[in-house]
Amino acid sequence: MRHEPTHRVLAVLEALAADGPPLPLTELARAAGASRSTLHAVVEHMQMAGWAEKAPGGWRAGPRLREVGAAVAAGVDLVRAAREPLQTLADTTGIAAAVFEVRDGLAEVVDSVAAGMRTASREDIAVGHVIPVRAPFARELAARLPMADQRRWLADGTGLTDAARDRLELVLPQIARRGWSIERLTPGRRELLRMADTLESAGIGALVRDRVSELFVELSEIDVTDAELATTADLAVASVAAPVLRADGRAIGSVAVAPGRRMTGRAVARAVEAVTECADAVSARLAAHPGPNALPALPPHLVHPAHAARHP
């Protein structure tokens, strides 16, 4: 059975979301199958909440409806832009790959591609999987932030020791220069990844997720320095990630592969190159197909440093 109040609101939202001039109340009432007096109360309440807006000639989408519509469009654009490069990344590396989008303080997997090689933590990276955008997580994103925002990112960190903060102070400028980050894998962290997979599939709450985040910090070896990369023969790698940039250079997400195993230095270098090339390709696709409110094209100095060094 149709719930009439809900139907009326949805009908008005659908009408306001369509392109075109402002709609008279009479036309909205016809679309919703309701009287003018009923619809007047509906749209006035929607106006107070920001979903509708009075304009000369009728009603149009309010700021809240435009904001939600833009967010949905951005997510769809990112998935479309990433699909082919992400498949190429998984095929090239033989490792599961994913694209993350930043949403409300979390980086959420919006698309993923499995690969032939089984990783230690999972066969693929599940769509909907989230990580908090706070220290020490999402370093490839934090490294792109202005210094004041980096300080806030550090201040939001849960369970950070003084040593972990010192480590982040050291590696963040290096991540910013090279354009990618490595999540290192320890035996304890490997087991925690498996536990986190189980908890996430069971629908864990925010408090449990926060405690798991604290444990990740305790069991992590935060990134690698440039000096360590130059001297390490092999490395246990949980993931390699690089930021996806909008046309203004702002990081809106990232692409990553999740090896979940020990790799030779040469294999790490190949994975890094493939990830940064994928991130550059996704960023270029977003810039080439801008939305109605898109910003100018990405300046050359804001491409990923690792890619720019290879293609002067």
Side-chain angles (χ1 to χ4, degrees), residues 139-140 143 171-181 223-224 305:
R139 292 181 302 280
E140 75 281 1
V171 300
L172 273 184
Q174 297 184 16
I175 294 170
R177 285 194 297 271
R178 66 196 186 201
W180 48 268
S181 68
D223 225 289
V224 288

Side-chain angles (χ1 to χ4, degrees), residues 40-246:
H40 186 266
V42 171
V43 293
E44 285 208 328
H45 185 77
M46 292 174 66
Q47 182 179 34
M48 288 188 292
W51 292 94
E53 186 174 74
K54 193 74 169 68
W59 294 86
R60 64 186 180 190
R64 179 62 180 147
L65 180 55
R66 294 196 296 271
E67 177 185 330
V68 170
V72 171
V76 172
D77 287 347
L78 180 56
V79 171
R80 288 175 178 168
R83 168 47 60 170
E84 187 176 333
L86 205 63
Q87 184 66 62
T88 300
L89 174 60
D91 291 343
T92 300
T93 61
I95 305 171
V99 57
F100 291 80
E101 182 181 9
V102 177
R103 295 175 175 174
D104 300 323
L106 296 172
E108 179 179 349
V109 176
V110 292
D111 198 12
S112 67
V113 176
M117 184 178 298
R118 182 183 177 88
T119 65
S121 60
R122 49 164 68 89
E123 290 187 7
D124 58 4
I125 306 173
V127 172
H129 175 74
V130 296
I131 60 171
V133 183
R134 63 167 182 254
F137 305 105
R139 292 181 302 280
E140 75 281 1
L141 301 176
R144 302 278 315 176
L145 296 173
M147 188 57 65
D149 292 333
Q150 282 190 19
R151 294 298 176 191
R152 282 192 288 272
W153 174 81
L154 272 170
D156 288 340
T158 303
L160 285 180
T161 63
D162 290 342
R165 289 184 184 278
D166 290 344
R167 180 75 174 183
L168 287 169
E169 296 272 8
L170 175 65
V171 300
L172 273 184
Q174 297 184 16
I175 294 170
R177 285 194 297 271
R178 66 196 186 201
W180 48 268
S181 68
I182 288 181
E183 190 69 39
R184 301 174 76 173
L185 187 66
T186 63
R189 194 178 184 282
R190 185 195 302 268
E191 294 305 315
L192 188 58
L193 279 168
R194 290 176 176 152
M195 184 182 75
D197 285 347
T198 302
L199 289 172
E200 188 169 349
S201 63
I204 64 172
L207 290 177
V208 177
R209 185 170 61 223
D210 286 347
R211 181 54 187 146
V212 171
S213 295
E214 292 175 11
L215 290 172
F216 268 114
V217 176
E218 294 173 14
L219 296 172
S220 291
E221 296 179 20
I222 298 173
D223 225 289
V224 288
T225 64
D226 293 344
E228 289 169 344
L229 283 170
T231 58
T232 301
D234 61 1
L235 195 66
V237 180
S239 65
V240 180
V244 171
L245 309 177
R246 280 202 181 282

